[in-house]
Amino acid sequence: MPDSTMPDATRLKFGVGQAVPRNEDPVLLQGRGRYTDDISLPGQLYAVMVRSPYAHGVIRGIDTAAAKEVPGVVGVYTAADLEGHGYGTMRCVLPLKNADGSPLRNIERASLAADKVRFVGDPVAFVVAESRAAAKDGAEAVFVDIDVLPAVTDAAAAAAPDAPLLYDHIPGNCVLDFHYGDAGKVAEAFAAAAHVTKLSIRNNRIVVCAMEPRSAIGEYDAGTGRYTLHVGSQGVFGLKNQMANDVLKVPPEKVRILTGNVGGSFGMKASAYPEYLCLLHAAKLLGKPVKWTDERTGSFLSDSHGRDHEVDAELALDAEGRALAVRLTAYANMGGYLSTVAPLMGTGNFVKNIQSNYATPLIEVTTKCLVTNTTPVSAYRGAGRPEGNYFFERLLEQAARETGRDAIALRRINHIKPDAFPFSAPSGSVYDSGDFTAVLEQALQAADWEGFPARKAESQARGRLRGRGIGNFLECTAPPMKEQGEIRFEADGTVTIITGTLDYGQGHWTPFAQVLHQALGVPFESIRLVQGDSDLLIAGGGTGGSKSLMASGAAIVEAAQLVIEKGRTAAAHMLEASVEDIEFDRDPQGLGRFTIAGTDRSIGIMELAERIRTANNPPPDMPESLNVRHVFGEAPMAYPNGCHICEVEVEPETGHVEVVRYTSVNDFGVIVNPLMVAGQAHGGIAQGIGQALMEKVAYSEEGQLLSGSYQDYCLPRAGDLPDFGFLSHPTPCRTNPLGAKGCGEAGCAGSLPAVMNAVVDALAEFGVTHIDMPATPERVWRAIADAKAAA
């Protein structure tokens, strides 16, 4: 939102575009944050889940007698105990259809397994006790009799005719046979192509590894019949409706969700989990709050995982190097159950993002979504967006090698040009703005592309291989849903923003306050943010898909305009003038004032709010307050884009890869807070580097999780990361009031292709043309050894 009313010399210190430090940080850095596990309610009990030790099997019986005798245990519950209470299930909510038009085969997941277990960690019972230690002892005393069945962990293997079947109603383990695109036209484009590039690419499965493990406390008020759940989430309004409508089967007003500080989520804490019903059920029966906090081992097993796709990617080029069509044929691993949005990543989000910022006229995506004996998969930072960009960038780099073309020139010729906007993509998206080639050129200059040969020679002198890679990207954000923008002028002189998005590490308070400060001129230091109480919301799309600022920011802007209209009416009474003569502006200090046009008679917005509150015998048409509760409608998705350039060094004797230089130029539209946007980009890049070089979920043939702790699962540390160069080349979005494009997931979208293209470039002298993520030392060393042996 450009500052059109303040001259450049007096820009608002806390307005849009200013690098204001996060309001949240002093509290968090001093250890005064309040996460779910920090909460202790009077008389609370403690719960521990009993999980299946096998990936696949028939439950023959569950013996709870010994557990009930453990001192301090007050309840042991199985699926049989939950029956008869009218509870519902968790399921996928996407209205996706198979290629033949039939609906996907959904899975109604109960909170506790009753007949079969389908992954290691599948909850089969839970124990409630007076202490956590007693609950753990009780859980260990539960005996679960399971007839073990063969397991399958890879999606492609699950599609084999002889694969073990997880569900009787899902033949071939295929819940969805998805297809998008005109197969005939795509086939014609490939047949007419001057060159076709093909790659088989594995998008490795990821453990989310949020800093805060999941935790929840269930309460039940017998007098009102109302449930309260304290839980880390990505949006209390949506979770309330899911718990009420789908799981508890009660009216939404009978459920309250409370979320305090959240230590990361990245998509994983967005939806309901089995533990939540268990806690509320026990709280209702026992008449006391029941608390559960997962341990890290449980998190590895039961938190939804991310990614996990096996893809055959193809790109058709004409004689000039222009893309004619891109085709993806994929297997997507859903895990043992279908989470709320599990099929989205490998289907619709592949379609929306495979195009990236290139003018490819035809897209075809065919994906089989299969259940396997693994932890269920759900959204993980980017949720199909980084993958789509990764596939195209790898194809483009490989096509350049195969045709002898310069990869940068190939990008330039295929970029959508600025005069093409609005650009209707074959995915159905309509890009509103961008200057993709200019972003690429700025990135090349900032990364000192021309100086690379000297750096490569210096690395070679030290016995290192040096490679460079480009990651052009464009991602389609989630479309903003209806979002609440409530503004309250409190009696203590503060101003409260209430919204349905939720901060789980991003830092919403500061940019939302900047937007309100700019729109209304209320003191920045007086603004507070409330977003974690479902009782205060009438709408809310939660946080996900890089849409929070576009949704809540737009809601705040529109609500602020309603405040101004109410303020003009109130100021007219206070200043004894007609409403038509009242103007709203900001004084030299940037504070909002209502003024009689052509005079110096005015009243500040904060004073006006106070005088309304304390007015005696106000006239009938005087507003009772300046408070506004507003719901913003939906806006189209936006298209953040950019170019990342990465340089790596490889130690050929060990295969160790080090990221040594990193530059990114990004178009995030109007940036409200550049300091925080850079931080979001840094976090996404770090996670992308982790997936590209280190992270991989591994299962045994029996479905046992082999990477079930930080001894077996590698995450990037500060020493593994370089300084990140972050530059902006913004073109304002034209489809939302702020002109913002979203930034939360873009770091992953640019880093996956940039890092992996750099690794392949470093290994090119051995004839290596592709290597899958993660490029671990063992995998890189083996690629070098195999290439040498084949030479």
Side-chain angles (χ1 to χ4, degrees):
M1 182 176 61
D3 183 7
S4 58
T5 61
M6 297 294 290
D8 288 341
T10 55
R11 283 177 61 91
L12 295 174
K13 179 180 178 182
F14 299 108
V16 169
Q18 302 301 309
V20 181
R22 299 186 353 153
N23 286 331
E24 295 89 347
D25 286 351
V27 168
L28 297 177
L29 292 173
Q30 294 171 34
R32 295 188 287 119
R34 194 165 187 257
Y35 300 85
T36 304
D37 191 53
D38 293 323
I39 300 170
S40 292
L41 301 178
Q44 73 183 16
L45 302 170
Y46 298 85
V48 169
M49 306 303 296
V50 179
R51 303 188 183 278
S52 170
Y54 304 109
H56 197 197
V58 177
I59 300 174
R60 296 303 183 191
I62 303 177
D63 187 346
T64 63
K68 292 176 180 177
E69 298 301 317
V70 172
V73 169
V74 297
V76 184
Y77 306 91
T78 67
D81 298 300
L82 299 182
E83 291 180 2
H85 293 272
Y87 298 138
T89 58
M90 296 160 288
R91 56 188 173 83
C92 175
V93 300
L94 302 176
L96 293 172
K97 293 185 178 181
N98 292 289
D100 63 6
S102 62
L104 89 163
R105 297 181 177 93
N106 219 328
I107 297 170
E108 301 290 335
R109 183 186 184 186
S111 292
L112 295 175
D115 55 347
K116 288 179 73 176
V117 292
R118 294 179 171 90
F119 70 98
V120 174
D122 204 352
V124 297
F126 69 102
V127 176
V128 180
E130 294 171 350
S131 69
R132 183 173 294 149
K136 292 181 73 172
D137 289 343
E140 290 179 359
V142 174
F143 176 74
V144 184
D145 184 9
I146 297 175
D147 279 352
V148 179
L149 297 172
V152 60
T153 59
D154 288 331
D162 59 347
L165 289 180
L166 273 72
Y167 296 90
D168 293 339
H169 75 287
I170 303 177
N173 292 315
C174 186
V175 296
L176 178 67
D177 186 2
F178 173 87
H179 181 266
Y180 179 90
D182 188 323
K185 289 184 178 180
V186 171
E188 290 176 4
F190 272 88
H195 182 79
V196 173
T197 289
K198 299 181 180 181
L199 281 175
S200 292
I201 304 175
R202 183 66 187 254
N203 182 31
N204 42 317
R205 179 181 279 239
I206 297 296
V207 173
V208 175
C209 294
M211 183 168 59
E212 176 201 19
R214 285 190 299 120
S215 180
I217 305 175
E219 295 184 86
Y220 181 75
D221 187 327
T224 62
R226 198 157 191 255
Y227 297 92
T228 298
L229 185 69
H230 305 259
V231 64
S233 74
Q234 291 186 200
V236 294
F237 188 77
L239 184 57
K240 178 190 80 169
N241 288 328
Q242 184 185 11
M243 289 298 301
N245 298 328
D246 296 342
V247 179
L248 290 165
K249 295 294 185 180
V250 297
E253 60 269 19
K254 293 295 184 180
V255 177
R256 184 185 190 188
I257 305 293
L258 293 171
T259 295
N261 292 119
V262 181
S265 174
F266 312 112
M268 179 265 290
K269 295 173 184 172
S271 302
Y273 279 86
E275 295 87 357
Y276 305 161
L277 172 63
C278 295
L279 298 174
L280 293 171
H281 174 78
K284 181 178 181 178
L285 291 187
L286 299 173
K288 293 182 178 182
V290 181
K291 181 176 183 177
W292 164 80
T293 299
D294 211 351
E295 296 179 346
R296 189 60 67 179
T297 298
S299 293
F300 271 77
L301 292 173
S302 66
D303 294 349
S304 61
H305 291 173
R307 315 296 198 220
D308 206 344
H309 306 106
E310 302 164 60
V311 179
D312 288 330
E314 302 169 90
L315 176 65
L317 300 178
D318 68 13
E320 285 73 41
R322 290 184 174 86
L324 298 174
V326 61
R327 181 163 57 195
L328 301 180
T329 306
Y331 291 106
N333 195 336
M334 300 291 98
Y337 299 91
L338 269 185
S339 64
T340 309
V341 296
L344 175 65
M345 287 70 77
T347 58
N349 276 1
F350 275 10
V351 171
K352 292 289 185 184
N353 294 276
I354 184 61
Q355 170 118 30
S356 187
N357 47 29
Y358 302 110
T360 310
L362 293 170
I363 292 172
E364 184 180 6
V365 175
T366 302
T367 304
K368 293 185 183 297
C369 298
L370 294 115
V371 286
T372 68
N373 297 115
T374 62
T375 299
V377 169
S378 191
Y380 173 76
R381 198 170 193 164
R385 299 173 181 89
E387 296 95 313
N389 286 273
Y390 172 59
F391 301 147
F392 200 102
E393 287 293 289
R394 286 295 301 122
L395 282 170
L396 190 146
E397 284 285 335
Q398 182 65 11
R401 283 192 171 88
E402 292 173 353
T403 60
R405 297 177 184 273
D406 177 76
I408 294 173
L410 201 56
R411 287 181 171 87
R412 291 187 184 117
I413 196 174
N414 281 289
H415 274 156
I416 300 164
K417 303 304 185 285
D419 60 4
F421 296 110
F423 177 83
S424 295
S427 64
S429 295
V430 179
Y431 300 173
D432 65 286
S433 59
D435 194 348
F436 308 137
T437 302
V439 168
L440 170 63
E441 301 297 346
Q442 185 178 349
L444 293 172
Q445 182 177 4
D448 186 24
W449 187 263
E450 298 301 324
F452 175 77
R455 294 190 294 276
K456 184 178 179 69
E458 190 274 332
S459 297
Q460 190 173 20
R462 293 185 286 105
R464 301 290 189 270
L465 309 172
R466 196 177 188 105
R468 59 183 175 180
I470 294 176
N472 253 180
F473 76 91
L474 178 145
E475 63 167 5
C476 304
T477 67
M481 303 169 68
K482 293 186 183 299
E483 192 55 72
Q484 184 166 326
E486 184 170 349
I487 301 172
R488 289 184 182 176
F489 291 80
E490 311 289 2
D492 63 358
T494 60
V495 180
T496 301
I497 300 171
I498 301 176
T499 187
T501 55
L502 203 142
D503 171 14
Y504 48 89
Q506 294 89 344
H508 287 177
W509 181 2
T510 302
F512 290 178
Q514 288 177 258
V515 170
L516 183 60
H517 174 62
Q518 176 124 341
L520 281 186
V522 297
F524 177 83
E525 298 86 352
S526 300
I527 300 172
R528 301 292 177 263
L529 176 65
V530 174
Q531 51 183 347
D533 185 348
S534 65
D535 276 4
L536 301 178
L537 299 177
I538 57 174
T543 293
S546 301
K547 71 181 189 306
S548 293
L549 187 65
M550 295 184 292
S552 287
I556 292 166
V557 168
E558 291 185 351
Q561 292 304 310
L562 297 175
V563 170
I564 290 171
E565 292 307 308
K566 292 181 74 172
R568 291 178 68 238
T569 299
H573 285 290
M574 299 293 182
L575 299 175
E576 299 180 341
S578 66
V579 174
E580 292 75 16
D581 289 334
I582 300 297
E583 297 177 340
F584 177 78
D585 206 336
R586 290 190 292 260
D587 64 20
Q589 286 73 46
L591 301 179
R593 299 193 73 81
F594 294 91
T595 304
I596 300 175
T599 76
D600 59 358
R601 295 183 59 203
S602 66
I603 184 171
I605 189 170
M606 300 302 290
E607 180 185 354
L608 177 63
E610 176 63 21
R611 289 183 62 180
I612 294 173
R613 186 166 39 249
T614 58
N616 292 319
N617 300 317
D621 61 339
M622 170 76 84
E624 294 182 1
S625 71
L626 294 184
N627 298 347
V628 165
R629 172 181 279 188
H630 173 68
V631 175
F632 167 68
E634 299 181 8
M637 64 181 65
Y639 305 96
N641 60 89
C643 180
H644 292 206
I645 296 179
C646 172
E647 293 185 17
V648 301
E649 281 191 341
V650 177
E651 187 176 57
E653 292 82 5
T654 64
H656 179 263
V657 178
E658 180 182 2
V659 179
V660 292
R661 285 172 67 97
Y662 203 100
T663 301
S664 70
V665 176
N666 304 278
D667 176 7
F668 296 146
V670 172
I671 293 178
V672 172
N673 188 312
L675 179 68
M676 297 177 65
V677 167
Q680 283 290 294
H682 292 172
I685 293 169
Q687 285 184 280
I689 291 173
Q691 179 177 1
L693 300 182
M694 305 172 189
E695 299 183 53
K696 179 187 177 182
V697 174
Y699 284 96
S700 71
E701 291 183 3
E702 295 78 22
Q704 292 294 329
L705 183 61
L706 302 177
S707 52
S709 75
Y710 290 131
Q711 289 183 314
D712 314 295
Y713 187 89
C714 186
L715 287 178
R717 302 185 180 187
D720 299 311
L721 305 174
D723 290 336
F724 297 127
F726 177 85
L727 298 169
S728 292
H729 189 107
T731 55
C733 182
R734 301 171 184 171
T735 58
N736 65 73
L738 284 170
K741 291 185 176 179
C743 68
E745 297 162 312
C748 281
S751 58
L752 293 184
V755 173
M756 292 309 295
N757 281 337
V759 172
V760 172
D761 183 57
L763 303 181
E765 64 183 73
F766 297 105
V768 175
T769 59
H770 179 70
I771 186 169
D772 270 326
M773 302 184 293
T776 59
E778 186 273 339
R779 184 171 284 177
V780 172
W781 177 87
R782 191 170 298 280
I784 295 172
D786 290 346
K788 286 180 177 179

